Amino acid sequence: MRTDDWITRLHDLQQRGEPCVVATLVDNQGSTPRDAGSKMLITASQQFYTLGGGNLEFQVMTIAREMLREGAKTSRFERFSLGARLGQCCGGMASVLLEPLGQPQPHVVVYGAGHVGRALVNILSTLPCRITWVDARASEFPAHVDPQITCIVDEEPEGTVAQMPADSYFMVLTHDHQLDFALSERILKRGDFRYFGLIGSDTKRKRFDYRLSGKGIADEQLARMRCPVGLPDVRGKLPAEIAVAIAGEFIAAYGAHSQKVS
């Protein structure tokens, strides 16, 4: 591994707003699978580079992902004896420094790249969050987007709901009521979202509640759907005004969750 390889990968992760742990083999005594200075990057779902494999690497990844889940802000120093107890036959001693980098950021999923969707994503892109932006129409997306935005073009956007990580913040703002309904059904049925906002009127809300109840969705789940979406005190019908109201509600929802876990 060249020195600039892991630095480039780390830069990419930070540009996407994805927190990770840098694990560095800082000292080795006796026989160890890698030399001091070797590094591994660990995210919640991936690893890059290696400390030599085996149970040592498994233990390091387990500790790193525990740090990520807990939102750890301080480094940890761990010593591992590479003997039978760890399931390795090297017989040496390895010391590993685990450094958490980047605070966990909320994952926002925006369905719809129309006027309101574009205005909302413009606001969200200024906030510390990761954004997945989905629409069936490639022509609706801008030519260039910020690094923390992932654009998905899919002719059946409702199929992407299952691909999104747990605890996502879903915002449904499409141009098609039937698509809105299909997305709402799938989001509510998976149930592990942090927030779900649906653009529409009080009349649309009542209609959707009735139809979704017929799909077997319980009242307590329906109550989690924010429709009409957005802070009620922020009035106006211009795309920018609607986007401000939705962004404000997202900030309030994320802030309330952050206070609970802190």
Side-chain angles (χ1 to χ4, degrees):
M1 178 184 67
R2 299 199 321 266
T3 302
D4 58 345
D5 285 345
W6 76 268
I7 293 174
T8 300
R9 177 68 68 178
L10 178 60
H11 176 73
D12 291 343
L13 292 172
Q14 292 180 320
Q15 284 290 97
R16 297 204 305 265
E18 187 169 359
C20 69
V21 171
V22 180
T24 305
L25 184 62
V26 295
D27 182 40
N28 59 321
Q29 300 173 13
S31 177
T32 56
R34 294 298 300 273
D35 295 329
S38 298
K39 292 182 182 292
M40 182 168 66
L41 305 182
I42 303 109
T43 72
S45 60
Q46 294 178 288
Q47 73 171 85
F48 305 95
Y49 313 112
T50 181
L51 295 183
N55 206 23
L56 166 65
E57 195 161 286
F58 175 78
Q59 295 289 342
V60 170
M61 286 192 294
T62 299
I63 295 170
R65 289 190 172 131
E66 177 187 333
M67 294 171 69
L68 290 169
R69 284 194 302 273
E70 295 176 351
K73 298 179 182 179
T74 56
S75 301
R76 285 177 60 169
F77 184 79
E78 300 283 343
R79 290 177 63 82
F80 302 91
S81 177
L82 305 181
R85 187 174 181 183
L86 199 62
Q88 302 208 201
C89 58
C90 300
M93 181 75 69
S95 300
V96 179
L97 177 66
L98 297 101
E99 302 171 275
L101 297 177
Q103 294 303 307
Q105 295 182 343
H107 179 241
V108 184
V109 187
V110 178
Y111 285 99
H115 296 304
V116 175
R118 288 195 295 271
L120 176 61
V121 169
N122 282 339
I123 297 172
L124 294 176
S125 65
T126 67
L127 301 173
C129 61
R130 293 177 291 124
I131 304 163
T132 300
W133 196 7
V134 188
D135 201 294
R137 306 160 296 172
S139 60
E140 293 299 310
F141 291 110
H144 302 284
V145 296
D146 289 342
Q148 78 268 35
I149 302 172
T150 300
C151 295
I152 297 178
V153 179
D154 196 308
E155 292 184 358
E156 297 182 348
E158 64 271 25
T160 67
V161 171
Q163 302 169 16
M164 302 305 162
D167 296 327
S168 291
Y169 292 73
F170 288 95
M171 302 174 187
V172 175
L173 319 165
T174 84
H175 62 294
D176 184 336
H177 277 224
Q178 266 309 111
L179 177 56
D180 284 354
F181 181 81
L183 288 165
S184 299
E185 181 183 357
R186 297 203 181 194
I187 293 167
L188 289 169
K189 281 187 173 179
R190 65 172 288 175
D192 59 354
F193 54 88
R194 185 75 63 194
Y195 167 91
F196 167 35
L198 169 67
I199 197 168
S201 62
D202 290 328
T203 301
K204 179 177 178 179
R205 170 68 194 240
K206 291 176 183 176
R207 188 183 305 121
F208 271 40
D209 279 352
Y210 176 77
R211 293 180 63 195
L212 290 166
S213 294
K215 293 287 187 176
I217 296 173
D219 289 345
E220 56 267 25
Q221 280 294 85
L222 289 172
R224 297 184 63 197
M225 179 174 70
R226 288 287 304 163
C227 180
V229 66
L231 296 174
D233 291 339
V234 181
R235 304 178 187 277
K237 296 183 178 181
L238 294 174
E241 294 170 327
I242 298 170
V244 166
I246 298 171
E249 188 166 272
F250 158 69
I251 292 169
Y254 177 67
H257 170 69
S258 298
Q259 288 181 350
K260 286 180 182 178
V261 295
S262 62

